[in-house]
Amino acid sequence: MKIIGLVIQSIAKMNKANLGLLLTEKIKIPYLLMILILFSGCLSKTKKEEEVANTETSQPNLLIVFPDQMRGQAMGFMGQEPIKTPNIDRFAKESLVLTDAVSNFPICSPARASLMSGKYPFGHGVIQNNNSHSSHYGYELAASEKCWSDILKERGYRLGYIGKWHLDNPHPPYIKSSNNEGDKKWNEWTPPEKRHGFDYWYAYGTYDDHLKPMYWATDAGRHDFHYVNEWGPKVEADKAIAYLKNEKGERMDNEPFALVVSNNPPHGPYSKVPEKYKKMYQDIPMDRLTQRPNIPQKGTKHGDYYRQHIKDYYAMISGVDDQFGRILQALEDTSLAKNTIVLFLSDHGNCLGIHNVISKDYHYEESFNIPFIMRWPEKIKPKKDNLLISMPDIYPTLMEIMGFKNDIPKDIEGVSYAANFLYGKGKRPESQLYMYTPYGGPDMGRRGIRTNQYTMMMSRWKGKPDELELFDNMNDPYQLNNIGLSDTVTVNLLTQKLKSLLEKYNDPWMKHLQSDKVRNGY
């Protein structure tokens, strides 16, 4: 074989004259033909190998399934709550599960802007929910922001967005919808120039009638929305499946794609869920559904609120799980699963009365901790990991594992953990930032820091005393015991870490940490 290889190399280097001399004088014709045949076969094999290599290294597709307000504990495989999520459980066995993922500003618009932009709220400018009130302050994702979807668009991807967007401020004349009937207007159309590369669009701003959702299609004008008499996640799964099957030619079959399916449930109102999912929980005793020790007692305001809504909240999640399973099956049916990165996560969690708070916004695990499950067959090893990933980190991590590291903007604030995802090694974050700001008060509200062991929160409100909470999450996973006043060593250590994060992300709340109270121990 070595001799044949040398002969082939020699032939490849010859000019026509020398090759003619070889034909007439050096080698008998039969032997030359044999070598040429071998040479041709070698070339053919190399070409086939290249085709296989190109197939294996072709640009991966991306599918993000993104239900709203789903806490990270409310999945069956986590073993914390009696909830039925068979499709998510099965998916988790095939995936990287980050058990300590958080939403740094755990409400809709700031979290969604961080996911899209790879920045913290003061970097992308969305420091409260988008509604008619936030428009006074300019809290909105700018069309000029370079989102991950913009990168993929430039790289030849087709992009689709289905469901809730919630990154635009409503403006007069307001869209006529139920979410715009109160003092605050919530729902708004997203013009094409603000869709950040998504060329297929079947979405809305924020609209909460889950049993009769409204949508703007790709080419619809501002007043050309329509309603569908079906549960929102079912409609959105139908559209996603049609997109994956390319039933209407939204993309070329050989084009890579990225698709976001953004369900509103399990966001309230919790009763707006099909009966078939409610029946899954109707016979389960309430005592079984209220085992978490941080749920307030029956007969209290927040304890009764939890008991009133928990079955419907679980029913919504089981419904989302059902539709997620349909989407995953469509990936298999279309032979797209192997080369498609699938990410399942939420924008924030929901306390539902736990810790005596009704909803999100808080540093408690039920609000702060979110699902994060990623599958890429044969590329990302299935396992559980307590990597402290934050919402802005998702953008650069995705872009790097998809092969677009050099396209990530220099001003991005998130950190790529692609090496951890792909190879199980590399740098690991030590902490995660928590924040909550009121409208018009960027230097007010709550700030905090979370490590693998602790969560610390400090609050600052006009006319109210400052607050401090410190929880040892390893020894007190339900955050029942505030040790902030007794463990001043940990408080001071975490305060310095928090100060560093606030400085890094240009947070005006940082000046609060210059006070004598903090410098001398809270």
Side-chain angles (χ1 to χ4, degrees):
M1 291 302 294
K2 288 183 178 179
I3 294 173
I4 292 174
L6 290 172
V7 172
I8 290 171
Q9 290 178 20
S10 298
I11 292 174
K13 293 177 180 178
M14 288 181 180
N15 58 33
K16 290 182 180 179
N18 287 336
L19 183 58
L21 183 65
L22 179 66
L23 284 169
T24 55
E25 298 181 7
K26 299 292 182 182
I27 298 180
K28 298 289 186 181
I29 294 297
Y31 293 104
L32 177 60
L33 288 175
M34 180 183 71
I35 291 172
L36 290 173
I37 290 169
L38 286 170
F39 183 39
S40 175
C42 185
L43 285 175
S44 177
K45 183 177 180 181
T46 302
K47 184 177 180 181
K48 289 179 182 178
E49 287 174 346
E50 287 177 353
E51 288 176 353
V52 171
N54 288 336
T55 300
E56 291 178 347
T57 59
S58 62
Q59 294 173 323
N61 306 309
L62 175 64
L63 170 63
I64 298 177
V65 179
F66 193 48
D68 193 310
Q69 203 159 291
M70 180 174 168
R71 63 186 182 221
Q73 303 81 31
M75 298 179 286
F77 76 92
M78 292 295 289
Q80 293 193 36
E81 304 193 36
I83 190 166
K84 301 173 184 179
T85 54
N87 295 296
I88 294 172
D89 298 349
R90 185 164 49 252
F91 178 67
K93 291 179 181 179
E94 304 166 347
S95 306
L96 171 65
V97 178
L98 299 186
T99 57
D100 286 52
V102 301
S103 176
N104 307 88
F105 191 146
I107 62 174
C108 292
S109 300
R112 290 164 182 270
S114 287
L115 174 66
M116 293 304 301
S117 71
K119 297 178 182 178
Y120 287 86
F122 285 103
H124 57 61
V126 185
I127 58 174
Q128 251 296 342
N129 260 340
N130 287 128
N131 53 43
S132 56
H133 196 52
S134 68
S135 64
H136 298 307
Y137 304 102
Y139 303 160
E140 194 172 51
L141 184 66
S144 60
E145 195 70 57
K146 187 71 173 283
C147 296
W148 57 263
S149 51
D150 294 310
I151 291 176
L152 295 185
K153 184 67 174 178
E154 291 172 358
R155 285 292 187 163
Y157 275 68
R158 300 291 289 184
L159 290 103
Y161 197 97
I162 300 171
K164 182 174 181 177
W165 177 249
H166 201 185
L167 285 168
D168 299 297
N169 290 323
H171 59 84
Y174 296 111
I175 299 296
K176 291 184 178 180
S177 70
S178 58
N179 281 55
N180 288 350
E181 291 174 355
D183 292 336
K184 282 184 182 178
K185 318 300 181 184
W186 292 86
N187 199 13
E188 185 52 78
W189 174 68
T190 302
E193 64 270 17
K194 296 188 70 179
R195 294 176 187 173
H196 290 280
F198 289 102
D199 42 69
Y200 173 78
W201 190 260
Y202 196 79
Y204 54 90
T206 179
Y207 185 76
D208 295 331
D209 189 348
H210 310 313
L211 294 174
K212 191 179 179 180
M214 63 175 288
Y215 300 94
W216 279 274
T218 304
D219 297 326
R222 186 169 184 253
H223 297 284
D224 298 328
F225 54 85
H226 66 278
Y227 295 92
V228 182
N229 289 310
E230 180 61 86
W231 193 51
K234 168 67 164 53
V235 177
E236 290 144 21
D238 288 345
K239 291 294 182 180
I241 291 167
Y243 187 89
L244 295 174
K245 293 181 177 180
N246 204 20
E247 291 180 350
K248 295 186 178 180
E250 291 91 354
R251 55 190 175 81
M252 299 293 290
D253 286 334
N254 61 344
E255 286 179 317
F257 67 85
L259 177 64
V260 178
V261 184
S262 178
N263 304 139
N264 202 350
H267 189 287
Y270 307 110
S271 61
K272 291 185 178 293
V273 57
E275 288 297 322
K276 68 175 181 178
Y277 300 125
K278 290 186 178 185
K279 289 179 180 179
M280 297 172 67
Y281 297 94
Q282 66 181 10
D283 296 328
I284 300 178
M286 185 57 66
D287 287 350
R288 241 194 97 206
L289 302 176
T290 54
Q291 294 295 310
R292 298 178 74 79
N294 52 10
I295 300 171
Q297 292 183 350
K298 182 179 180 180
T300 63
K301 174 185 174 181
H302 295 96
D304 289 348
Y305 183 89
Y306 191 91
R307 287 162 177 81
Q308 178 185 353
H309 295 295
I310 187 57
K311 287 189 177 184
D312 287 344
Y313 182 66
Y314 282 174
M316 280 190 162
I317 293 174
S318 292
V320 166
D321 174 85
D322 187 23
Q323 302 308 319
F324 180 50
R326 294 180 59 223
I327 295 170
L328 291 178
Q329 185 59 52
L331 275 179
E332 296 292 339
D333 295 342
T334 52
S335 301
L336 292 168
K338 183 177 180 181
N339 197 40
T340 300
I341 299 168
V342 181
L343 172 59
F344 183 92
L345 79 162
S346 184
D347 55 350
H348 52 78
N350 183 18
C351 287
L352 209 70
I354 288 174
H355 290 292
N356 295 307
V357 294
I358 292 297
S359 193
K360 52 263 188 180
D361 312 350
Y362 290 91
H363 57 290
Y364 303 121
E365 288 295 284
E366 290 80 7
S367 168
F368 196 28
N369 179 229
I370 57 173
F372 189 102
I373 314 172
M374 182 182 284
R375 185 185 75 180
W376 191 9
E378 301 178 12
K379 303 288 186 180
I380 295 178
K381 182 179 179 181
K383 65 174 181 177
K384 282 187 180 181
D385 193 333
N386 66 351
L387 183 82
L388 297 174
I389 196 165
S390 292
M391 195 67 83
D393 301 329
I394 298 171
Y395 173 166
T397 301
L398 276 175
M399 290 301 95
E400 184 169 352
I401 67 175
M402 293 176 73
F404 306 122
K405 179 180 179 180
N406 293 334
D407 297 301
I408 299 171
K410 300 299 182 184
D411 64 344
I412 205 163
E413 295 173 335
V415 176
S416 172
Y417 296 104
N420 295 88
F421 282 47
L422 294 171
Y423 314 115
K425 61 183 181 181
K427 59 188 176 184
R428 296 176 69 88
E430 297 180 354
S431 61
Q432 297 156 308
L433 177 67
Y434 161 76
M435 65 179 296
Y436 176 82
T437 67
Y439 289 99
D443 59 340
M444 293 289 167
R446 297 182 291 268
R447 301 294 187 274
I449 189 168
R450 184 183 185 276
T451 68
N452 282 121
Q453 181 165 0
Y454 295 102
T455 295
M456 184 187 75
M457 184 281 298
M458 295 174 172
S459 72
R460 182 191 188 202
W461 302 97
K462 290 180 180 178
K464 295 182 180 180
D466 293 343
E467 295 177 314
L468 168 70
E469 289 187 354
L470 175 67
F471 299 104
D472 183 339
N473 298 326
M474 288 187 177
N475 297 305
D476 179 22
Y478 296 100
Q479 299 174 315
L480 296 171
N481 302 303
N482 178 10
I483 59 173
L485 296 179
S486 59
D487 191 351
T488 56
V489 173
T490 299
V491 167
N492 286 331
L493 176 64
L494 294 179
T495 297
Q496 294 307 311
K497 290 181 178 290
L498 176 59
K499 178 182 176 182
S500 177
L501 289 176
L502 297 181
E503 288 177 336
K504 183 176 181 179
Y505 303 124
N506 300 310
D507 191 326
W509 202 91
M510 197 249 332
K511 64 185 180 183
H512 177 51
L513 294 183
Q514 310 299 331
S515 69
D516 290 337
K517 180 184 287 188
V518 172
R519 283 202 301 269
N520 297 327
Y522 214 96

